[in-house]
Amino acid sequence: MGVMKLSKIHCEVCGGNLDMDELSQIKNQKVICPYCGSIYINEAKHSVIGAKLESDIEHLKLIEKKENTKEFWSFQKLKENNKSAFKSLAILMGISLTGFLILSANYLIERRPGQLEVTTNEKNLRGENYKIVSSKFEDMGFKNIKYEKVNDLKIGFFADEGDVKEVTINGSNAFEKGSHYSQKSKIKIYYHVFPK
């Protein structure tokens, strides 16, 4: 234990100051007055000086306890404030993260990264020239476009040579406007020609 200053103790005979500054000197020690040579035993139960020192120690302990209590409650209050701030921050971050996830999900659903949107349905392409239909798919971003001649024209009343009979995406003609497909999807354009 370190040095603790106690209140001054005076000699009862001459009134001179007695040097009793350390707690280690309190129990059962002989103290001699440097001015008149009076001898004191500073044990609390058996002398006035010891009782005074014990009283000072109790007073110092009480002050220390109050300070510790004050520090403890200050720390508790700080801890509670931090806990409240942490909860608020966690709630705010949770709301932000939820909002971000919702926006991201909506973006992915709407935009479908890596997917191209078809801007027409298959029925609307029938009867158009296959070169025009091909350029429409190129404008949409598709790269894998193939053609196949259908040798079915006899007179040419119902269709002209080069008119689209059918368009498939990955083998199916059931695509609709607004549907999405990979850029690498196989587009096949079947068009009418006269047999040779």
Side-chain angles (χ1 to χ4, degrees), residues 4 8 30 41 43 54 69 74 82 100 109 111-113 124 128-129 140 145 148 158 162 164 168 178 191 196:
M4 286 180 96
K8 290 183 179 179
K30 184 164 61 170
I41 304 281
E43 185 179 349
E54 287 292 327
T69 302
S74 294
N82 286 345
F100 174 75
I109 289 168
R111 301 286 180 224
R112 299 185 189 195
N124 291 341
E128 285 195 52
N129 185 278
M140 290 179 220
I145 301 171
E148 188 168 320
F158 300 107
V164 171
T168 62
Y191 63 95
K196 291 184 181 180

Side-chain angles (χ1 to χ4, degrees), residues 11-50:
C11 176
E12 293 176 355
V13 177
C14 70
N17 289 337
L18 299 177
D19 186 20
M20 302 178 70
D21 288 340
E22 295 184 14
L23 291 176
S24 61
Q25 295 176 346
I26 292 172
K27 297 291 181 188
N28 297 320
Q29 183 177 358
K30 184 164 61 170
V31 178
I32 301 170
C33 177
Y35 305 103
C36 69
S38 297
I39 298 173
Y40 298 94
I41 304 281
N42 57 334
E43 185 179 349
K45 295 178 182 175
H46 303 294
S47 72
V48 175
I49 294 173

Side-chain angles (χ1 to χ4, degrees), residues 1 14 42 104 123 131 153 192:
M1 185 179 283
C14 70
N42 57 334
S104 297
K123 289 179 184 173
K131 291 179 183 177
L153 287 180
H192 300 286

Side-chain angles (χ1 to χ4, degrees), residues 1-192:
M1 185 179 283
V3 175
M4 286 180 96
K5 293 287 184 184
L6 303 173
S7 59
K8 290 183 179 179
I9 303 294
H10 299 286
C11 176
E12 293 176 355
V13 177
C14 70
N17 289 337
L18 299 177
D19 186 20
M20 302 178 70
D21 288 340
E22 295 184 14
L23 291 176
S24 61
Q25 295 176 346
I26 292 172
K27 297 291 181 188
N28 297 320
Q29 183 177 358
K30 184 164 61 170
V31 178
I32 301 170
C33 177
Y35 305 103
C36 69
S38 297
I39 298 173
Y40 298 94
I41 304 281
N42 57 334
E43 185 179 349
K45 295 178 182 175
H46 303 294
S47 72
V48 175
I49 294 173
K52 174 76 172 122
L53 290 174
E54 287 292 327
S55 171
D56 286 348
I57 289 170
E58 288 303 316
H59 179 69
L60 288 172
K61 284 181 181 177
L62 185 62
I63 290 170
E64 186 178 2
K65 186 176 179 182
K66 282 182 182 177
E67 288 298 317
N68 287 343
T69 302
K70 187 177 174 183
E71 286 177 22
F72 172 78
W73 288 113
S74 294
F75 176 73
Q76 288 297 101
K77 187 175 180 181
L78 181 65
K79 205 161 87 172
E80 286 299 316
N81 289 344
N82 286 345
K83 195 184 286 184
S84 297
F86 178 76
K87 284 180 184 175
S88 299
L89 182 62
I91 290 169
L92 185 62
M93 286 180 69
I95 291 169
S96 299
L97 182 61
T98 303
F100 174 75
L101 291 174
I102 289 170
L103 289 174
S104 297
N106 286 340
Y107 176 81
L108 291 174
I109 289 168
E110 281 182 26
R111 301 286 180 224
R112 299 185 189 195
Q115 300 273 308
L116 301 174
E117 183 177 351
V118 177
T119 57
T120 186
N121 61 28
E122 193 270 342
K123 289 179 184 173
N124 291 341
L125 298 172
R126 292 181 190 176
E128 285 195 52
N129 185 278
Y130 77 95
K131 291 179 183 177
I132 294 171
V133 172
S134 177
S135 67
K136 283 183 179 181
F137 277 97
E138 286 172 3
D139 290 345
M140 290 179 220
F142 292 99
K143 305 286 185 204
N144 187 10
I145 301 171
K146 305 288 182 199
Y147 311 98
E148 188 168 320
K149 297 176 183 177
V150 180
N151 299 317
D152 63 349
L153 287 180
K154 301 217 188 283
I155 303 173
F157 287 131
F158 300 107
D160 292 325
E161 192 167 54
D163 286 353
V164 171
K165 177 181 181 178
E166 180 183 36
V167 178
T168 62
I169 300 177
N170 295 329
S172 171
N173 68 354
F175 61 87
E176 295 289 331
K177 180 179 179 178
S179 54
H180 291 81
Y181 292 90
S182 166
Q183 184 182 32
K184 296 177 182 177
S185 295
K186 185 176 180 181
I187 309 298
K188 197 156 187 184
I189 301 171
Y190 298 87
Y191 63 95
H192 300 286

